[in-house]
Amino acid sequence: MSDNERGLAGENLAFVESLWADFLRDPTSVNEDWRRYFETLGTTGGNGQRARLGPSFHPPGLFTPRGFGGTNFANRVAQDRVDQLIRSFRVRGHMIAKIDPLRIPRAPQPELDPSYYGLDEEDLNRQFSSTTIGRGGGASSLRDILSCMRQTYCQGIGVQFMHIDDLQVKNWLQERMEGSENRIELARDQQLRILSRLTDAVVLEEFIQKKYVGAKSFSLEGAETLIPLMELAIQRACKQGVGEIIIGMAHRGRLNVLANVLGKTPKYIFREFDDSDIDQNIGRGDVKYHLGYNNEWTALDGEKSVHLSLCFNPSHLEFVNPVAMGRMRAKLDRFHEHPRGRGLTLLIHGDAAFAGEGIIQETLNMSQLPGYEIGGTIHVIVNNQVGFTTRPEKGRSGTYATDVAKMLQIPIFHVNGEDPEAVAQVVSLAMDFRSQFSRDVVIDMYCYRRRGHNEGDEPAFTEPTRYRHIRAREGVRKHYLQHLLKMGEVTSDEAQGMEEAARGKLEGELSSARSKDYKPRARRKGGIWAGYVGGNNDAVAEPQTSISEQLIQNLGKALTSLPADFNPHPKIKRILSQRSDMALGKRPVDWAMAEAFAFGSLLLSGSRVRMTGQDCERGTFSHRHSVLHDFEDGHEYMPLRHLDDEQAPIDIINSPLNEAGVLGFEYGYSLDSPDTLVLWEAQFGDFCNAAQVIIDQFIVSAEDKWRRLSGLCLLLPHGFEGMGPEHSSARLERFLALAAEDNIQVMNLTTPAQYFHVLRRQVIRPWRKPLIIMTPKSLLRHPAATSSLADFTESGFQKVIADPLMSAQKAKALKRVLLCSGKIFYELSARREELGVEDIAICRMEQYYPLPKVELEKAFESVPDGTPVFWVQEEPENMGAWKFLRYAFGRTLMDRLPFESITRPESASPATGSAGAHKVEQNRILSRALDSQE
């Protein structure tokens, strides 16, 4: 009886059953012929398919006329095993790749051993199909196939890419890597250039350690290959037509990058070490390894150049990432780049931070979202294999620091930092991949940290054995030089000349820095920032922000007109009809329409508008409806984009569900688009808590630390509505505590027209400072919180709104004045009217900061001396504006009016979670405020 007549038995049966198990786990794990057969089998077998593979199983001639029997079947079995072996190298080859310069042993991977598949020494010279290997060809010996796989995936480069679902992307990577066995052929001049850049990096670190013993510099020693890596990336970017590169990185190696990549003259760095310019930094500035820089970088051929900009960065490590991305998006929007090939964002990470900081996930998630994509970012991880003192196994749960990046459909390259030519190959692959697919790429460069976390730290306290090994190592430059010397590509004299030239240059720079004739650089502000100023609020006049009634009517018509084929939701029809009446003066203007008037008028004057936030297209409180959805098929229409053929662009974008990443992105956008109204809206004001690092370390302090201006606007819904602790307070007190030197603007507005004028003022006035607005919730539809058309056409922003009872004719009858802001004004006003009280005035302070002392004095000028003034707020006594105002004015307002507060009692939580309790508390505030006997 033939093999085919006997069916499957023994080894053959075991093999087919293993294939079947693989197929059930992952259909793509078996070759196409088996997959097609198993899919057919699955349509008829139900839960009993496995039983069909028993001794009586006779698959009908699937591969050859003889079916599974004899030699053909044996060959097919062997080929399938080779195919599985090839796939295993692609999936798991990185697990044994020689990526660690410290050569710490890695666990063996049985799936990468041919014996795991029943292949032995006799099979090494047998011919197998190699058509699936990227290098092409019909057949190769198993020996050659193994050599190709090991060279491609298990040497100085380990690659994770099999998680990518897009077959085109996966095949592109396979062909590029396997076709070259993941090696790059470098010409002699390229090898010398790499050696030269390594020399510059090494010599600078050695020079600083010698001249500034013990000073913090956060040395790059052990990871000097970062410098040629960055140059190779920039050089290739030039060839690909990139004109702008934004770089974000933390402190490790920053000084080396500034000097040897950005081209910052070393003498300026040396003066920062010497602390030579004390007078310029009293009360301001930042440490040298946080500073940014920008410069023009000319390609080696001298024909092309690219503008490099290194972002200023605080010690909060990875939070600069969304800032850098936002800056790039602003540049690309200015270039009108689609696709976005003109700009490149290059982010340098630490391994512990990349694995540990949640902002990484937020940043990665934004990479392919329409409102945030920038054509792909190059992520470079300087993998020191240790945090401050924390080993990887105590700092992350996964195998690699990069595991979070597998959430994206992108390749992750792990590369040995002491193999500069492997690094060159990875840079080439990464840059071409990004150019081809407009996606992020991760380069995980394994290296080590020769010194402690800083130069005064002793790493051997916690890593004694590792640092004995590190201190015995010669370093990457010497290692690469030995390689080139062995290859005959360089001579010892050439290498020595490079080193002497680099050291001599630094000695000259140090002499210049310490020369008595040294003159500091003039700080110039040009380009897109020419004409904009920071500094003191009083230095810039108030602009005219009103618009004509005709413009309002034109805007109203455009904002309420829809295409003939657009079917709005029935409720939207009613809203549009009401908005049309508002523009015609038939109905008071509400908050949403006032905002639309502000946006529309700015767009028609040529100013771009960009707003992002969670659900901001519709508005959390269903008030904005800026992006409409057809009720029949769901397609979108945005009236603000159809005002006029010559209008400026507008983007109102629903953001992903995060705060820090999105706010950082919008802050970055504002840095490179000063003529744009850039707004971030929190779903509830309390949610800014999750973005506090961006607020503290960038928004409120950047001008003082780095002389960077921003006109970013934060819209923070604020007001106690009985919705609980997390939906009441935008933490006004935190912004007021951070306010100093006119660094920010803080508002709590009471009318739609005030909101309109503030938004226009933010763009029209050349003074660029962040604007924080406590926006309303219930006031969005409050019948009293409306404005007339005259409020838009005949007036401007009022920092303080006095009560008519405070006029010269009526002020003498006052028993007290209530000073307040925001929503509580309407509750006080309604209660006063209800009680018929005529001797208590209610004054509104619309702007908290910069504190409007002049406007307050004018509002109170007719109020008799000794009249008590009460600050009334919804927030607990220890929150809100009260402590800020008490600090500013003391116990008397304008040194003549007794000044006290009416608030909720001091509390650890902003608000009660009980709607009933909220009403009781609110009523107590109103009663105390309007009881003239108190």
Side-chain angles (χ1 to χ4, degrees), residues 237 242-248 306-311 320-337 339-347 371-378 434 608 610 664-673 708:
V242 171
E244 294 272 353
I245 297 180
I246 299 288
I247 303 169
V306 59
H307 184 75
L308 304 182
S309 181
L310 175 65
C311 298
V320 75
N321 299 336
V323 175
M325 292 171 62
R327 289 190 61 193
M328 180 51 67
R329 177 63 180 244
K331 288 178 180 290
L332 295 173
D333 283 352
R334 188 175 295 278
F335 300 145
H336 304 290
E337 278 292 313
R340 304 183 179 280
R342 181 169 164 74
L344 167 66
T345 304
L346 179 59
L347 300 179
Y372 305 91
E373 59 88 16
I374 52 175
T377 295
I378 299 294
R434 175 193 173 274
R608 188 182 192 115
R610 176 182 169 90
F665 192 100
E666 301 313 324
Y667 172 72
Y669 196 102
S670 73
L671 295 178
D672 279 83
S673 196
R708 293 306 308 264

Side-chain angles (χ1 to χ4, degrees), residues 220-378:
L220 189 62
E221 291 169 283
E224 293 95 339
T225 306
L226 176 65
I227 301 305
L229 183 158
M230 293 181 70
E231 180 174 277
L232 288 164
I234 295 167
Q235 178 71 15
R236 202 164 191 91
C238 273
K239 292 181 179 179
Q240 293 171 347
V242 171
E244 294 272 353
I245 297 180
I246 299 288
I247 303 169
M249 69 178 298
H251 45 270
R252 175 75 53 206
R254 193 179 183 93
L255 296 179
N256 215 309
V257 169
L258 280 165
N260 289 317
V261 177
L262 274 292
K264 182 176 181 178
T265 306
K267 67 181 176 184
Y268 300 134
I269 296 175
F270 297 150
R271 285 189 68 82
E272 291 160 1
F273 271 104
D274 290 334
D275 206 6
S276 302
D277 304 306
I278 296 174
D279 292 342
Q280 297 181 28
N281 293 299
I282 298 293
R284 65 179 64 249
D286 201 351
V287 292
K288 51 193 166 292
Y289 36 79
H290 288 171
L291 301 180
Y293 197 75
N294 64 83
N295 208 348
E296 289 294 317
W297 192 93
T298 303
L300 295 179
D301 58 14
E303 296 181 1
K304 295 181 180 179
S305 65
V306 59
H307 184 75
L308 304 182
S309 181
L310 175 65
C311 298
F312 294 86
N313 191 46
S315 279
H316 283 68
L317 299 175
E318 303 293 339
F319 283 84
V320 75
N321 299 336
V323 175
M325 292 171 62
R327 289 190 61 193
M328 180 51 67
R329 177 63 180 244
K331 288 178 180 290
L332 295 173
D333 283 352
R334 188 175 295 278
F335 300 145
H336 304 290
E337 278 292 313
H338 298 285
R340 304 183 179 280
R342 181 169 164 74
L344 167 66
T345 304
L346 179 59
L347 300 179
I348 316 298
H349 311 273
D351 52 313
F354 197 85
E357 295 281 359
I359 195 73
I360 291 295
Q361 186 275 338
E362 296 183 17
T363 302
L364 293 172
N365 185 54
M366 290 192 287
S367 67
Q368 292 292 304
L369 301 181
Y372 305 91
E373 59 88 16
I374 52 175
T377 295
I378 299 294

